[in-house]
Amino acid sequence: MKNTLCAPAPDEGSGLGAGSKTSEEILQEAIKYVQANSAVNPNPRYGQGYTYGQPNLRYGVGDGEDLPAPQGAKVRLDLYGRNDANLGQLAGQHITAMASNLNFTAPYPTAPDFLTVFTNFQNALAACEAAKQAQKQATSFKNEERDILALYLSQRGDYVQSASNGNAPVILTSGFDVKAAPTPVGVLAPPTNLVLTLNGVKGAMLLTYSGVPNARGFLIECSKDVLPRAFTQVKNTSKTSYFMENMEVGETYVFRVAAQGGSTGQSPWSDEVIRGAA
């Protein structure tokens, strides 16, 4: 089961103000109200010798003519939209309001049971907050010690490098690894998956293509769809797309792309992609 007790608090929006009481204040006030009002008559009625407004006397709701006039309203809780603190504030406000409320005399769950669950939650929340603070302190201490250990390892690495004179088997006897020798890149592959798309803008096209590992950039050339091709460079870019404007509507264009880098400085040219401007 997922433990949501220590979940991060969401943004504001619970409907409870920033100046709300602390969890401890809510808990103590709720206990005081429940203890002071738990022994009242559970369901007094007029005509039984009671006086309206009599201290510690609450009148029940729910039987026939005692019901308030209907208005179609519904209780709004938004329980899962509240963070832990706001949920506790809602419960504490409810306990306080119900303990002195003449409208609800026989609540379910009962006041003592509700207070017990509320108290358990507040205690668990306080323990969770204390654990989070302890975790922060422990993490900070661990990071400080890690930095010191990393510094000492770096100094030992310098010593092993010097004392081994760069001899790989000797370095390995220290418990440290040996860096891999650089691998030649070789000849780069040409870009692939060239696509020309129109975006509804007159005389505009978007060219896209796949990237190439170890490429420093890409050269883009364009020619009108004639033979022999008359390619000219239109872009030198590090991106894998190129947006073109002001192309001649009705004319068909050919594009090709090459990757820059590798042992030859440039890959072979990609396959051509052809499309008419519109």
Side-chain angles (χ1 to χ4, degrees), residues 205 222-224 247-248 251-255 273-275 277:
M205 283 186 183
C222 176
S223 169
K224 291 185 178 181
M247 304 185 74
E248 185 178 343
E251 186 66 62
T252 301
Y253 293 90
V254 182
F255 289 87
V273 61
I274 304 174
R275 185 148 194 178

Side-chain angles (χ1 to χ4, degrees), residues 209 216-220 233 235-242 257-258 260:
Y209 44 89
R216 297 194 310 269
F218 301 94
L219 295 175
I220 303 174
Q233 181 176 317
K235 190 67 175 179
N236 185 339
T237 179
S238 60
K239 299 180 180 180
T240 55
S241 64
Y242 176 49
V257 183
Q260 294 175 295

Side-chain angles (χ1 to χ4, degrees), residues 27-277:
L27 176 58
Q28 294 304 319
E29 187 174 77
I31 292 174
K32 179 183 68 174
Y33 272 101
V34 171
Q35 290 176 343
N37 293 276
S38 60
V40 300
N41 190 306
N43 196 26
R45 289 288 182 270
Y46 297 115
Q48 295 179 332
Y50 299 109
T51 303
Y52 185 79
Q54 181 177 331
N56 292 332
L57 187 62
R58 295 173 293 174
Y59 291 90
V61 173
D63 296 331
E65 67 275 6
D66 293 328
L67 286 172
Q71 295 182 343
K74 294 184 181 297
V75 174
R76 177 176 176 269
L77 296 176
D78 189 25
L79 299 180
Y80 297 100
R82 299 174 183 271
N83 60 33
D84 290 338
N86 286 334
L87 186 68
Q89 290 170 354
L90 173 65
Q93 291 171 180
H94 173 64
I95 290 173
T96 301
M98 291 290 284
S100 57
N101 198 318
L102 301 178
N103 295 309
F104 307 99
T105 61
Y108 179 82
T110 65
D113 287 346
F114 194 94
L115 179 61
T116 297
V117 171
F118 171 68
T119 303
N120 291 343
F121 173 74
Q122 292 295 92
N123 290 338
L125 180 59
C128 182
E129 291 298 325
K132 287 196 291 186
Q133 291 302 317
Q135 176 65 29
K136 288 182 180 179
Q137 294 176 358
T139 300
S140 176
F141 176 72
K142 181 267 295 181
N143 289 340
E144 292 176 0
E145 296 302 317
R146 177 188 172 90
D147 290 341
I148 295 173
L149 178 59
L151 174 62
Y152 274 48
L153 281 169
S154 177
Q155 293 172 341
R156 280 294 181 91
D158 291 341
Y159 165 73
V160 169
Q161 180 66 45
S162 175
S164 69
N165 198 29
N167 185 288
V170 174
I171 292 176
L172 290 173
T173 65
S174 72
F176 292 155
D177 293 328
V178 176
K179 289 184 178 180
T183 302
V185 173
V187 179
L188 296 184
T192 57
N193 301 319
L194 274 69
V195 177
L196 277 172
T197 56
L198 306 178
N199 65 352
V201 177
K202 184 177 180 180
M205 283 186 183
L206 176 65
L207 172 66
T208 59
Y209 44 89
S210 299
V212 175
N214 301 310
R216 297 194 310 269
F218 301 94
L219 295 175
I220 303 174
E221 289 190 344
C222 176
S223 169
K224 291 185 178 181
D225 187 16
V226 296
L227 293 175
R229 303 293 195 213
F231 282 109
T232 58
Q233 181 176 317
V234 295
K235 190 67 175 179
N236 185 339
T237 179
S238 60
K239 299 180 180 180
T240 55
S241 64
Y242 176 49
F243 181 70
M244 297 155 284
E245 296 180 287
N246 302 319
M247 304 185 74
E248 185 178 343
V249 175
E251 186 66 62
T252 301
Y253 293 90
V254 182
F255 289 87
R256 65 181 185 179
V257 183
Q260 294 175 295
S263 59
T264 59
Q266 178 180 316
S267 75
W269 287 102
S270 68
D271 292 338
E272 298 177 351
V273 61
I274 304 174
R275 185 148 194 178

